[in-house]
Amino acid sequence: MLSPNGFIGELVWSPTGDKLAFTMTQHVLEGEDLRVPKLYTINVNGSDLTMITKETEYVVTPNFSPDGRKLLYAEWSKRSEDLRVSGLDGQCHGLEILVKYPSRVKLSPDGNLIAIKTPSSMLVAESRDVLSAEFWESGTPCNGD
């Protein structure tokens, strides 16, 4: 049984079934904002728990790339709601998106379609049309990268 130390929110399997990505709010740590979930990955055998996001923004809706090497997720802050792509090493880039306030995002298993929920609607479209053809590989570097 896996037992990361915190409240687990959203959870998604990797395409190969050997890894999970999830959001987790950790228990009390001095100087940390406890209400901000961070994105983690873990092997299903319980090894290699890795924090992917270290920022103080609120992270939701993780999605694995079809090959399992990257994660797409939404990041909320007081300033904006953005989409990010991160390698499993935590190196990430932001994506420009024409849809305002993407509160939830889900990719089809093959990565070709994307569903985006906003506060007032839902869009389903080809991911390369909404995010660009090379969204897994390029974008604006995240803060600190």
Side-chain angles (χ1 to χ4, degrees):
M1 177 196 283
L2 304 177
S3 56
N5 188 22
F7 175 78
I8 295 177
E10 300 179 68
L11 181 67
V12 64
W13 286 96
S14 69
T16 56
D18 62 339
K19 194 174 279 290
L20 293 164
F22 59 96
T23 59
M24 181 171 65
T25 305
Q26 291 187 330
H27 297 297
V28 176
L29 298 173
E30 190 172 326
E32 292 271 332
D33 184 348
L34 303 177
R35 298 168 303 224
V36 178
K38 294 185 175 36
L39 181 59
Y40 292 81
T41 59
I42 193 168
N43 293 332
V44 295
N45 67 6
S47 67
D48 198 24
L49 176 66
T50 303
M51 183 189 302
I52 302 297
T53 58
K54 296 173 179 60
E55 296 82 18
T56 59
E57 280 76 16
Y58 195 94
V59 174
V60 294
T61 64
N63 296 264
F64 274 98
S65 61
D67 64 8
R69 295 183 311 112
K70 304 241 175 147
L71 292 161
L72 171 73
Y73 56 94
E75 182 180 86
W76 301 348
S77 72
K78 293 178 182 174
R79 300 177 311 278
S80 66
E81 289 82 22
D82 299 307
L83 295 183
R84 303 272 190 246
V85 171
S86 178
L88 299 183
D89 60 0
Q91 296 295 311
C92 75
H93 62 268
L95 301 173
E96 289 190 28
I97 185 168
L98 301 175
V99 178
K100 292 189 185 247
Y101 310 113
S103 61
R104 295 283 188 257
V105 59
K106 286 295 177 186
L107 290 172
S108 61
D110 63 6
N112 292 330
L113 297 174
I114 187 167
I116 301 171
K117 183 194 176 302
T118 68
S120 61
S121 67
M122 183 175 65
L123 166 73
V124 177
E126 290 193 29
S127 54
R128 70 173 179 256
D129 292 343
V130 175
L131 302 175
S132 85
E134 61 280 339
F135 74 93
W136 289 115
E137 303 303 327
S138 66
T140 306
C142 297
N143 295 337
D145 286 358

